[in-house]
Amino acid sequence: MSYPRLRPHILACAGLMAAYMPHTALAADADEVAARLKAMMEKQGVEASWSNIAGDGTRMTLQGVTVKPAGTDEALPLGNIELADISEDGDMIVVGTLAMPSYAFSSEDVDVAIDGISVTGLELPAVGDDSVAAMVGAYESADMNLLRVTREGRPLFTLEQLHVEMSPLSDDAPLEFSGAAEKFTADLTTIEDPQAKAVVQALGYETINGYLELSGSWSPTDGRMVLDQYDIAVDQAGTIGMTFDIGGYTAEFIKALRDIQAKMAENEGQDQSAQGMAMLGLMQQLTLNGATLRFDDDTLTQKTLEFVAAQQGAKPADIVNQAKAVLPFAMAQLNNPELTAAVSAAVGKFLDDPQNLEVRVAPQNPLPFAMVAAGAMTAPQALPQQLGLKITANE
């Protein structure tokens, strides 16, 4: 399900969850703290305002806060935002804790409630600072206790205890980040397609529970972005995991990307061919170093085989044999015998003993995204070799 009108609200919350660093002494001026926060949010595509500033440069409250994501006309009310343990560290102002109130909004008959957003170690560079810290934001940790999406009082999705950590920005080492959500729950009985709904019910996944974990690093100087882990685990189903390693994701790339996105948002509903071409040109700066997509089974495969077998009046072993027999013919149209053999062997091994299945891309040299796109259009049969594509099972 997609609710595009929810995007401004989500961006507003995300815009406030940014920035880090250590700590020390002198109290800052309250107006200066507010001005720096406003400037930092503007660099991240969110226009913020407030009706009053209460407190001093050590502890303060921004009252009547509203935010307006780039490209939108709707100002979203957030209430009062509390900033505590504020100090100065050289030219940097550090907010020990930023806490947002509970937040709720409705759109397209869907209600969203967010509770317990807080950020620690929030770095506020000087107004006009064009450093990486000012552009991307830096913080020690960020938390959200609960995100709940409901329709007519019925929970559709909940996310609990989201926690993210970030290492300090440094010229000598990549920025490292990690995060996890202890639990998510989704109600799949709201699926409208009758066939899909019947499959979900037959497999026993009307309600799914799970958790997610992620970790990675980013080097602003050369734009190397590495996602070491992004796992979404569903209880009694399995875990989908992905990793990637790309180059060219520099601070300049991020700034240019935000500028294009802001123009596209402003011109929504109009001809955006110029912005589209600019986006394609920007993507050519990225290079692919490697990526993986992996599935670790936790009974989902066996449940699926049993369901398909029951539909056909057969045994699960019969369905496995059918799949192993049909797959080589289905892949023959790719005109790549080597890939067909590798995929058939790996999938067959997995179906015989469902443990894990992994697709890995490992080009010999960094591969420009533009070259990948061109290869996909002009010579798709050569693309697997160009990407160094491999598929393995139970390893």
Side-chain angles (χ1 to χ4, degrees):
M1 291 176 288
S2 177
Y3 301 97
R5 290 180 60 193
L6 301 183
R7 181 174 175 270
H9 303 270
I10 295 171
L11 286 175
C13 293
L16 284 171
M17 294 180 63
Y20 158 96
M21 200 165 185
H23 354 305
T24 55
L26 306 174
D29 176 78
D31 290 334
E32 175 68 13
V33 175
R36 290 193 181 199
L37 179 62
K38 182 181 179 68
M40 185 190 71
M41 293 178 65
E42 286 178 351
K43 288 182 179 294
Q44 298 177 20
V46 179
E47 180 183 338
S49 61
W50 31 81
S51 59
N52 188 43
I53 302 173
D56 54 32
T58 302
R59 184 181 187 91
M60 55 188 285
T61 302
L62 302 177
Q63 299 175 339
V65 178
T66 61
V67 293
K68 185 189 298 183
T72 66
D73 297 324
E74 182 182 4
L76 309 174
L78 296 185
N80 298 341
I81 296 179
E82 305 286 341
L83 291 80
D85 299 325
I86 304 169
S87 62
E88 289 185 281
D89 187 4
D91 294 332
M92 190 74 65
I93 292 178
V94 181
V95 179
T97 304
L98 180 150
M100 290 179 58
S102 298
Y103 179 48
F105 58 89
S106 299
S107 181
E108 299 182 4
D109 79 352
V110 172
D111 299 316
V112 178
I114 302 174
D115 180 63
I117 290 181
S118 64
V119 181
T120 65
L122 175 64
E123 279 191 359
L124 299 178
V127 175
D129 189 327
D130 291 324
S131 65
V132 174
M135 183 180 300
V136 303
Y139 57 87
E140 287 181 339
S141 65
D143 292 89
M144 181 176 67
N145 292 341
L146 178 68
L147 166 67
R148 177 182 287 115
V149 182
T150 61
R151 177 190 288 153
E152 298 178 351
R154 180 176 182 175
L156 301 180
F157 177 80
T158 60
L159 183 71
E160 301 178 34
Q161 301 302 319
L162 175 65
H163 178 76
V164 179
E165 294 184 356
M166 182 186 297
S167 67
L169 284 167
S170 169
D171 295 332
D172 302 324
L175 179 153
E176 297 182 351
F177 57 88
S178 62
E182 290 187 5
K183 182 180 180 181
F184 66 80
T185 302
D187 181 0
L188 301 187
T189 61
T190 58
I191 294 176
E192 297 180 357
D193 181 82
Q195 291 183 333
K197 193 169 186 176
V199 172
V200 166
Q201 186 175 13
L203 295 177
Y205 294 129
E206 294 96 331
T207 300
I208 61 173
N209 299 288
Y211 63 90
L212 66 87
E213 295 179 315
L214 63 90
S215 65
S217 63
W218 176 54
S219 175
T221 53
D222 62 9
R224 186 75 174 265
M225 171 70 79
V226 179
L227 186 67
D228 298 310
Q229 177 189 26
Y230 189 88
D231 290 344
I232 302 176
V234 177
D235 296 347
Q236 298 181 355
T239 300
I240 290 286
M242 65 170 292
T243 68
F244 64 72
D245 182 347
I246 62 174
Y249 194 76
T250 60
E252 292 76 14
F253 177 91
I254 295 173
K255 183 178 185 301
L257 179 62
R258 286 176 178 167
D259 290 343
I260 294 173
Q261 290 174 332
K263 290 179 181 178
M264 294 180 74
E266 292 172 0
N267 299 326
E268 188 173 359
Q270 304 177 23
D271 181 13
Q272 298 187 346
S273 56
Q275 284 79 25
M277 291 299 295
M279 183 72 78
L280 289 175
L282 188 61
M283 296 303 290
Q284 293 180 20
Q285 300 179 29
L286 299 180
T287 58
L288 175 65
N289 301 311
T292 65
L293 180 64
R294 180 184 177 96
F295 174 67
D296 287 274
D297 186 66
D298 182 16
T299 73
L300 173 61
T301 303
Q302 186 60 35
K303 290 176 181 177
T304 303
L305 291 173
E306 291 173 353
F307 170 74
V308 175
Q311 294 291 101
Q312 298 185 10
K315 297 178 181 180
D318 298 330
I319 303 303
V320 170
N321 291 332
Q322 290 177 19
K324 291 163 68 174
V326 170
L327 185 59
F329 293 99
M331 293 197 60
Q333 57 185 321
L334 297 178
N335 195 27
N336 190 323
E338 183 178 350
L339 178 63
T340 296
V343 171
S344 299
V347 173
K349 183 178 180 180
F350 173 77
L351 291 175
D352 287 335
D353 180 20
Q355 295 181 37
N356 57 71
L357 193 65
E358 181 177 279
V359 179
R360 179 178 295 273
V361 170
Q364 291 185 349
N365 298 299
L367 198 60
F369 276 40
M371 187 177 297
V372 176
M377 291 186 292
T378 60
Q381 68 278 3
L383 192 59
Q385 183 175 1
Q386 185 182 33
L387 291 172
L389 181 66
K390 294 182 179 180
I391 180 169
T392 58
N394 303 345
E395 293 184 0

